[in-house]
Structures are given as structure tokens and as C-alpha cells.
Amino acid sequence: MSTLFSLKNKIAIVTGGSGFFGTPISIALAEAGATVIIASRNVQKCRDFAASIRANGFLAEGMALDLEDENSIRDFVGEVKAKYGRIDVLVNNAVSREGFKNLEDIDRNSWEKAQRINSTGMVLITQAVVRIMVSQQSGSIINISSIQGAVGPNFPVYGSTGMTSPVNYTYDKWGMVGFTKWLANYYGKYNIRANCISPGGYGPGVAQMSGNEEFVENYKRLTPLGRFANDDDIKGPIVFMASDASSFITGQNLLVDGGWTSW
């Protein structure tokens, strides 16, 4: 089993790898043996985070990547390929929440601003990486979606907090699941797998909230396991989907939600 779950000698890219979900994802891949390329526009943050992973005896590097810039995507993927010779895992984790609004409030510029990263940028980096995976006849693409890529938003859960679920977020996350299935069906013949991981509410993010206790209690009450996800809840599924432990799994959306979508 340790061999099945091992990522030794694998090269893994995590977009937004020093952020919200990116932090436990990057650590998990490194702990499983991969060399993790942590990438975002905040290159110094990525480099500092990669240094902290290396300080614990694992392999990681921080690199600059702007998913709004096609040249940046091309240069980044080329640099990874030139330095490491291959790309085994791509985790599309980066998400921009800029311009996220309700339908009645959104304007065209806000909508398109979000899509430049959450849709176009994700597609373009996948396009660049999958060409390398085709040439090496192997690869695992993991897209980080959400429970809101599987079910519609439950607006009453927010109560009187003023919180909401923007229309952009639901649109993007559903699109990501569909894109995953397309990738799986088209590139399976090249031994390339594509899967989604869709987390529910995430505890470390909730811990940063204040004044939203009503939402927290509502959410826990509507979750069969009665809690939010923690880092280990994210780390296990990532290693599973990246490794040979899931070698016959593709085109799937793994819901990591404590049962939220099971009602």
C-alpha cells in the first residue's frame, strides 16, 4: 500500500499552492514524496512556503504564474518542463473571488474578470500541461471544485449574516466538473486521468470569520458528520487521486463534504 500511495519522483504543480486549499494540498503531495511546484502571482509567498516545506525535509519550489497572462502560463510550464523533464500531476486549485456578485448586481466587467482566471486561465494551463502528459503517456489532473459544483447553493444556511453564494462561483464550479469529465474521456487513451475533488465547508477558513456564528451553526447542523473539513480531510483525497492508488479512477467528482450533499 505504501507503494500505491507513493509520489516519489513525481513532479506536481499546484496553482494557488500557497493559498486557502493550496496549503494542505501542497504539503500532502510533498509528504507523499512528490516535488511540488507551488505557483501563483505572489511569487514571494510561494517561495517562502516552499522553503518551509523544504525545511521539513521535503521537496518544493515556488514559481511565478499569472493565470490571466497567456505568456506567463506558457513560460511557467516551459520552465517546469525544462528543469524537471516531466509533469506528472496538475492540481487546478487557484480561484479568483474578485468580481463575485449576485446576478442582479453583477456587470460584464466583473463577470469577465472572474472568468479570466477561473475559466480561461484554468483551461490554458491545462492545455499546456496536457501536451506534456500526452508525450509521456501518463498524468493525473485534479481540479478543485466545490459542493456547489454538485448541488445548488442553500441560501437559508446563511441566515441573517449577510453572507451569500455568488453566481460566478456556482457557474465556475459546475463548469469545472464538466471540464473534468471531458478531459477524462478525451485523454484516457493517453493514460491521463482527470478527476475533481469537491470540498464542503473548510474549518481553517471558517475560523477567520467573525460575526457569522449563525452560518457556522446552521452549516454544522445540516452536515451529517456535524463539522467542517480540516486539513487532513483535504490531504488524503489529494494523495489518493494523484497516486497509483486511484489508477483506475477517472472522470469522477469526489465529494469531501461530511455528507452535505447526501440529503
Side-chain angles (χ1 to χ4, degrees):
M1 290 305 293
S2 60
T3 300
L4 276 177
F5 284 91
S6 173
L7 295 175
K8 185 178 180 180
N9 299 322
K10 301 294 187 182
I11 307 301
I13 292 170
V14 183
T15 67
S18 61
F20 193 55
F21 286 124
T23 298
I25 289 170
S26 297
I27 291 172
L29 296 173
E31 289 178 341
T35 297
V36 182
I37 314 303
I38 301 164
S40 78
R41 286 184 290 198
N42 191 339
V43 65
Q44 192 57 53
K45 184 179 180 182
C46 292
R47 288 171 178 165
D48 290 345
F49 180 41
S52 72
I53 292 176
R54 292 195 301 272
N56 287 317
F58 304 109
L59 301 173
E61 180 176 358
M63 289 188 179
L65 171 65
D66 184 353
L67 288 175
E68 287 192 78
D69 185 341
E70 191 169 357
N71 292 328
S72 174
I73 294 170
R74 183 190 64 243
D75 293 346
F76 164 76
V77 173
E79 183 179 357
V80 174
K81 177 63 165 61
K83 185 167 185 176
Y84 294 100
R86 60 186 300 111
I87 298 173
D88 300 290
V89 179
L90 170 65
V91 182
N92 282 316
N93 168 71
V95 61
S96 171
R97 291 179 171 81
E98 294 184 38
F100 272 17
K101 298 180 180 179
N102 288 327
L103 183 61
E104 294 178 12
D105 302 320
I106 200 164
D107 56 60
R108 178 173 178 168
N109 289 336
S110 296
W111 177 268
E112 292 180 348
K113 183 174 181 61
Q115 299 314 312
R116 284 197 291 271
I117 288 178
N118 301 338
S119 178
T120 305
M122 179 191 66
V123 168
L124 290 178
I125 191 167
T126 304
Q127 179 188 62
V129 169
V130 83
R131 288 174 176 145
I132 295 168
M133 290 180 170
V134 167
S135 69
Q136 65 196 27
Q137 295 285 290
S138 66
S140 177
I141 300 167
I142 305 168
N143 297 322
I144 306 303
S145 184
S146 164
I147 53 173
Q148 292 186 17
V151 295
N154 182 341
F155 291 105
V157 75
Y158 301 116
S160 59
T161 63
M163 298 171 64
T164 190
S165 178
V167 63
N168 322 52
Y169 192 73
T170 295
Y171 181 92
D172 293 339
K173 294 306 182 182
W174 276 88
M176 182 178 281
V177 174
F179 181 55
T180 299
K181 293 181 181 296
W182 189 95
L183 291 170
N185 294 346
Y186 190 86
Y187 289 105
K189 61 188 174 184
Y190 300 107
N191 194 34
I192 297 168
R193 299 183 297 113
N195 292 287
C196 262
I197 292 176
S198 289
Y202 179 50
V206 173
Q208 299 173 14
M209 298 178 180
S210 61
N212 294 316
E213 292 77 10
E214 182 183 5
F215 162 73
V216 170
E217 292 307 312
N218 285 344
Y219 190 93
K220 290 193 294 185
R221 178 172 50 81
L222 293 172
T223 302
L225 289 184
R227 64 176 179 86
F228 288 82
N230 60 41
D231 284 353
D232 286 344
D233 295 322
I234 305 300
K235 290 169 72 175
I238 279 288
V239 173
F240 174 63
M241 286 301 191
S243 69
D244 288 342
S246 60
S247 62
F248 201 53
I249 298 175
T250 195
Q252 302 305 306
N253 182 21
L254 179 59
L255 289 151
V256 184
D257 66 351
W260 174 271
T261 57
S262 68
W263 297 108

